[in-house]
Amino acid sequence: MDSRVSELFGGCCRPTGAAFRGRGGAAPGGGGGTKAKKKSGRSRGGKANNPPYLPPEAEDGNIEYKLKLVNPSQYRFEHLVTQMKWRLQEGRGEAVYQIGVEDNGLLVGLSEEEMRASLKTLRRMAEKVGADITVLREREVDYDSDVPRKITEVLVRKVPDNQQFLDLRVAVLGNVDSGKSTLLGVLTQGELDNGRGRARLNLFRHLHEIQSGRTSSISFEILGFNSKGEVVNYSDSRTAEEICESSSKMITFIDLAGHHKYLKTTIFGLTSYCPDFAMLVVSANTGIAGTTREHLGLAMALKVPFFIVISKVDLCSKATVERTVKQLERILKQPGCNKLPLLVTSDDDAVTAAQQFAQSPNITPIFTLSSVSGENLDLVKVFLNILPPLTNSKEQEELMQQLTEFQVDEIYTVPEVGTVVGGTLSSGICREGENLVVGPTDDGKFLRLKVCSIQRNRSACRVLRAGQAATLALGSFDRSLLRKGMVMVSPEMNPTICSVFEAEIVLLFHATTFRKGFQVTVHVGNVRQTAVVEKIHGKDKLRTGEKAVVCFRFIKHPEYLKIGAKLLFREGVTKGIGHVTDLQAITTKENGLEESLGPGQLSF
């Protein structure tokens, strides 16, 4: 599939040598300043990985350069605290300080005494705002001075006042038997695997999964980090509630199926749960096989940033592992991918990879590890601890100010609780006791309901904010009226539903010609339904690689869609992607009241 997407992704950022100029304590960004370039040739000792400058400091973002922070005045100290609050807000609770670096990126470095005083001031600043600091790394700068001078990179973390913890969602992809569930079991349980799959048993949800050793459903696992960057997981007999209480940052892993017959479940997990990142697991002894290419193509088609983990290195010789790494690098560099692979072999690489990965869409970190021996597992933990969120606080605020919209992805019946739905809040804020409407039903209606209680990561929560995943208890609401793909929205939203819609698509692969009357399974967010091609605008048929605007009609019941939503469709080996461009809104009925939705209400 990846060889077919070159037309669509040909405009991606191409890898450049400048992307890794900051590898010696790097802050992501653009090219270096003029002053820095003049000194770039004066480094002593021939340290190729320790350039004397970084990219200039950006006004936005969560990275701050400070030459030194020695004995500031009270006025200066208050200004520095305000600046720290801004950087924490930009990073949604996380900021990185580079001490010993000028604003233009020049690595000046500080003496031991100056660095000690600067870190003491930084610690005072963090205490003032209620944050914690962790030294990520120190590096010597050995040019223009006979006295050893250092730069220090520090992570500052503070959970925002309106959140219990920072939250990132990571989808886990890869071929069957590549070690996805075992790796998650080792990370979240804190115990190494015995080589026969013991670590994955706690992740399985069904008996047939335990018997076959293959994941067929979507499961969620959590890995926490406290304010000092230490791992918080199920070791020491912790419960999920204790992990949530002890963590300031939470990684929620979405364990997806690797077998091809469960592909629709994997696609649903990628489209509906809105992961921030994806982790592609590749077995070192089998390399790129089975659905690995397909999962890689799905992540790229949905524009989910991904990193790669090569597992089972304990089963292979060093030469076999190197061959698998080279095979991956070759695929990532192809025109269809345009990625720049970064092999992570040290803590220093892991810190750099986390910062560059979030800033540069064309960088792909690669880890090699073993879930049995524990080799390089700590590098993945360092990477996940530092990995920043993709959205900044401003984008988050804009989403929270919109009307409430919750996607229904899972439906349960819990004894003594009643009907429970799981999913993601796309926009707005949802509170306990709030009245919403859910739909569309098979006949296009929206039904009133009340949110009785909310849980996030298995612990109670009173308020849910945009971008967060949770389960909502609906009390005695009839479960038979609900289905996956529905939305719960604010009654004031006046939601648009449709059976017929248009989308601009790219046909990634089709064996013959794609024409009117062809049926495909369409995935749009949490919506998954068979649709028939009603019309191809301007053409009679489509072949592999061609673009067109196509009119689709759902064959079963209407759905709630939004203009601009990403679309993915498949049928056997036929695959295509695109986005929704127009909706033919239909009449909705709520509580016997009929309203006609006009074309002016197609988007929100």
Side-chain angles (χ1 to χ4, degrees), residues 165 167 220-222 240-241 244 250-252 455-460 469-471:
F165 44 75
D167 195 12
F220 298 86
E221 293 301 318
I222 55 176
E241 291 82 359
C244 293
M250 189 77 72
I251 308 292
T252 302
Q455 280 202 346
R456 283 190 67 207
N457 290 319
R458 306 181 182 111
S459 59
T471 52

Side-chain angles (χ1 to χ4, degrees), residues 371-582:
S371 298
V372 175
S373 68
E375 181 184 343
N376 291 340
L377 266 176
D378 286 342
L379 298 185
V380 175
K381 293 174 184 175
V382 169
F383 175 80
L384 293 171
N385 176 40
I386 303 167
L387 194 61
L390 288 177
T391 57
N392 59 33
S393 55
K394 186 178 178 183
E395 293 170 349
Q396 182 78 357
E397 285 292 328
E398 289 175 356
L399 277 175
M400 285 166 56
Q401 288 169 6
Q402 298 175 18
L403 291 171
T404 303
E405 181 185 322
F406 181 87
Q407 296 183 353
V408 177
D409 299 331
E410 298 280 350
I411 305 163
Y412 318 95
T413 301
V414 180
E416 299 181 10
V417 175
T419 303
V420 175
V421 294
T424 306
L425 189 66
S426 305
S427 62
I429 294 176
C430 182
R431 295 180 175 86
E432 277 188 5
E434 189 164 352
N435 292 307
L436 301 173
V437 294
V438 64
T441 58
D442 290 353
D443 53 359
K445 291 181 180 178
F446 277 76
L447 309 170
R448 296 187 184 277
L449 55 76
K450 182 179 179 180
V451 178
C452 300
S453 62
I454 304 173
Q455 280 202 346
R456 283 190 67 207
N457 290 319
R458 306 181 182 111
S459 59
C461 169
R462 289 190 175 278
V463 181
L464 189 64
R465 292 175 173 83
Q468 297 178 344
T471 52
L472 312 182
L474 307 180
S476 58
F477 192 87
D478 187 357
R479 175 182 172 167
S480 64
L481 299 174
L482 299 171
R483 59 176 172 80
K484 292 181 183 180
M486 282 184 164
V487 288
M488 292 164 52
V489 298
S490 172
E492 299 91 59
M493 184 179 276
N494 200 3
T496 305
I497 62 171
C498 67
S499 288
V500 179
F501 67 96
E502 291 183 355
E504 185 177 333
I505 67 160
V506 178
L507 189 61
L508 298 178
F509 181 77
H510 187 55
T512 55
T513 54
F514 185 81
R515 57 180 74 231
K516 180 181 176 181
F518 194 76
Q519 288 191 1
V520 292
T521 302
V522 172
H523 298 260
V524 186
N526 65 333
V527 171
R528 179 178 66 194
Q529 192 184 152
T530 303
V532 63
V533 176
E534 292 277 288
K535 182 180 180 183
I536 302 175
H537 290 280
K539 297 181 179 180
D540 293 330
K541 57 192 176 184
L542 286 180
R543 295 186 183 274
T544 298
E546 292 183 345
K547 293 183 180 180
V549 175
V550 176
C551 181
F552 292 97
R553 178 175 54 81
F554 289 124
I555 65 169
K556 194 172 182 184
H557 43 67
E559 300 282 9
Y560 170 80
L561 299 180
K562 295 167 79 170
I563 290 177
K566 292 177 188 173
L567 172 143
L568 190 147
F569 63 87
R570 61 179 185 84
E571 178 57 45
V573 294
T574 300
K575 296 178 184 68
I577 58 173
H579 63 274
V580 177
T581 57
D582 192 23

Side-chain angles (χ1 to χ4, degrees), residues 112-256:
E112 192 75 36
E113 188 178 340
E114 288 176 324
M115 183 59 74
R116 200 180 302 116
S118 296
L119 289 176
K120 184 179 178 181
T121 303
L122 190 65
R123 200 167 278 109
R124 280 177 55 213
M125 292 160 53
E127 288 173 0
K128 183 84 172 177
V129 300
D132 290 283
I133 70 169
T134 307
V135 175
L136 295 177
R137 53 185 172 176
E138 292 182 340
R139 298 183 74 88
E140 284 194 8
V141 181
D142 56 351
Y143 73 104
D144 285 353
S145 175
D146 297 326
V147 181
R149 303 176 73 85
K150 291 182 177 180
I151 60 169
T152 301
E153 189 169 355
V154 182
L155 175 68
V156 184
R157 178 174 290 163
K158 177 185 184 295
V159 179
D161 296 332
N162 60 357
Q163 286 182 233
Q164 186 182 355
F165 44 75
L166 307 170
D167 195 12
L168 290 180
R169 287 191 294 275
V170 178
V172 184
L173 302 169
N175 189 39
V176 64
D177 299 331
S178 61
K180 299 184 295 298
S181 299
T182 300
L183 174 58
L184 293 193
V186 170
L187 287 172
T188 59
Q189 304 295 327
E191 292 184 7
L192 294 176
D193 188 50
N194 64 351
R196 296 187 296 276
R198 181 181 63 190
R200 69 189 178 191
L201 292 179
N202 290 323
L203 277 68
F204 289 147
R205 298 173 61 184
H206 304 290
L207 178 61
H208 70 84
E209 292 181 328
I210 295 172
Q211 292 169 340
S212 68
R214 292 178 175 175
T215 303
S216 65
S217 59
I218 301 171
S219 63
F220 298 86
E221 293 301 318
I222 55 176
L223 174 68
F225 295 93
N226 63 21
S227 55
K228 295 179 182 177
E230 298 164 342
V231 171
V232 183
N233 55 23
Y234 286 107
S235 59
D236 303 326
S237 301
R238 285 192 184 97
T239 63
E241 291 82 359
E242 289 171 342
I243 293 175
C244 293
E245 288 170 6
S246 305
S247 302
S248 58
K249 182 173 186 175
M250 189 77 72
I251 308 292
T252 302
F253 292 107
I254 307 168
D255 190 17
L256 302 175

Side-chain angles (χ1 to χ4, degrees), residues 40-52 139-143:
S40 62
R42 298 167 72 173
S43 146
R44 293 179 185 174
K47 291 190 179 181
N49 283 347
N50 190 16
R139 298 183 74 88
E140 284 194 8
V141 181
D142 56 351
Y143 73 104

